[in-house]
Amino acid sequence: MMNSENAMITIDSSTVLRDRIKLWKQEGYRIAFVPTMGNLHAGHLSLLERCRQHDNTGKLKLVVSIFVNPMQFGENEDFDSYPRTIDADTRVLAENNVDLLFVPQATEIYPDGLQAATRVMPAPLIGDILEGEHRPGFFTGVATVVAILFNIVQPDVACFGEKDYQQLLVIRHLVADLALPVEIISVPIVREADGLAMSSRNQYLSEAERAQAGKLNVCLQHLIEDVMQGTETNFAVIHTTQELEANDFTVDYVVIRRQSDLGVPEPGDNQLVALVAAWLDGTRLIDNMCFEINA
Ligand code: AMP
């Protein structure tokens, strides 16, 4: 049983949130922040855990936001159907000793409406490739909302999942390029027993699709094994695409890229990442794995 001193506070107003954060900072607390779109699972909880590990002073307040950000959804995407489970999420966060839950309405984040909002556009080199190519405007939506949330919450540290590898790079750029005083910590992918990366979107899968979905990671591992054994990259990618298609996936992309900037590897680059995005019927899944080759 928690006493009232430890009880989680839920706030929907930026002004009220700012006042609370200011107070905590005056009391010497550091602020750790985990932005989410809710429908929480073990992947999200590992971010909370990582934030907690960051603190060795006992003077850390953990803030989580739940906001399904309309700016990062394309017109034909799943904004309306995205799972919203705020009651269950609130319970889970309170049980996990989160100090503050921020649940803004869209008008709080975009006071003059979405169309009138100033946007933060990542450089095309990172923002318009891979996910950005298949979901135009997605990373502008992400960078904009993260910049706004950072300005409201003013965290010292924020945790993001490697599940969204390109998003992580976009956010590292955002913080470096706009000189935002926030330390970004990345957290490894949490997976289901069959290798499927946990995601709120997994619940769109039918039972048969769910049984198939773990193959995405299996195929990604085959790709990495092929490349590490010296198979030429383009050849290995074609082979993996075929393997995915044979397992009912429709492939958006399968690539091997440099970990540092998602550029196409050049001779001598040995820190690599394999990334995939593919559909199982109407559900789009992404995954990635980092690996190293002998250059
Ligand atoms: P979302 O609610 O999907 O926007 O995700 C919020 C944060 O949780 C992002 O930083 C994600 O990268 C992270 N995340 C989502 N799924 C996972 C996972 N399976 N493992 C680790 N982090 C995750």
Side-chain angles (χ1 to χ4, degrees), residues 112-289:
D112 294 325
L114 211 54
Q115 294 316 317
T118 300
R119 290 167 191 243
V120 180
M121 194 183 83
L125 212 58
I126 186 72
D128 290 356
I129 61 168
L130 305 175
E131 284 300 285
E133 186 184 339
H134 289 270
R135 305 183 66 188
F138 171 65
F139 286 119
T140 294
V142 168
T144 303
V145 80
V146 170
I148 295 169
L149 289 169
F150 279 4
N151 281 329
I152 296 172
V153 176
Q154 310 242 329
D156 297 287
V157 55
C159 287
F160 290 85
E162 289 165 15
K163 155 92 189 330
D164 301 283
Y165 190 90
Q166 190 175 357
Q167 170 173 290
L168 184 61
L169 293 195
V170 164
I171 286 160
R172 286 197 187 284
H173 259 290
L174 169 77
V175 164
D177 299 349
L178 302 188
L180 305 180
V182 186
E183 180 186 351
I184 303 299
I185 295 183
S186 66
V187 180
I189 302 177
V190 178
R191 298 179 180 280
E192 303 283 359
D194 65 350
L196 177 66
M198 287 193 184
S199 163
S200 306
R201 290 189 166 101
N202 292 352
Q203 61 192 262
Y204 297 155
L205 299 167
S206 69
E207 208 173 311
E209 288 162 359
R210 174 63 194 83
Q212 201 64 354
K215 301 269 174 54
L216 188 69
N217 188 251
V218 173
C219 292
L220 202 58
Q221 288 186 45
H222 289 167
L223 173 62
I224 292 171
E225 281 161 22
D226 279 358
V227 172
M228 289 184 75
Q229 280 164 15
T231 307
E232 198 267 323
T233 303
N234 290 332
F235 187 79
V237 163
I238 290 169
H239 183 245
T240 302
T241 306
Q242 287 167 348
E243 193 186 357
L244 284 164
E245 285 168 356
N247 280 291
D248 305 329
F249 290 94
T250 306
V251 176
D252 269 355
Y253 60 81
V254 184
V255 291
I256 304 281
R257 293 293 170 95
R258 268 198 303 268
Q259 284 176 25
S260 58
D261 60 0
L262 292 180
V264 176
E266 286 168 13
D269 289 330
N270 63 348
Q271 305 286 320
L272 305 179
V273 53
L275 304 108
V276 63
W279 296 79
L280 262 185
D281 196 14
T283 305
R284 189 170 184 277
L285 302 172
I286 59 171
D287 197 359
N288 71 81
M289 295 178 93

Side-chain angles (χ1 to χ4, degrees), residues 42-112:
H44 296 110
L45 298 187
S46 75
L47 302 189
L48 305 184
E49 184 58 29
R50 184 65 189 82
C51 275
R52 286 264 176 241
Q53 281 170 10
H54 180 75
D55 175 50
N56 51 15
T57 62
K59 295 281 284 185
L60 187 88
K61 293 289 185 186
L62 183 47
V63 177
V64 172
S65 64
I66 295 182
F67 180 61
V68 183
N69 173 32
M71 197 189 278
Q72 73 190 62
F73 285 79
E75 257 178 43
N76 299 318
E77 293 187 350
D78 56 344
F79 177 72
D80 289 333
S81 56
Y82 196 85
R84 290 162 170 88
T85 51
I86 189 67
D87 292 342
D89 292 348
T90 303
R91 271 197 304 279
V92 167
L93 294 174
E95 282 165 14
N96 281 273
N97 300 321
V98 166
D99 296 292
L100 195 159
L101 169 59
F102 183 43
V103 282
Q105 295 293 314
T107 46
E108 199 68 23
I109 300 296
Y110 305 114
D112 294 325

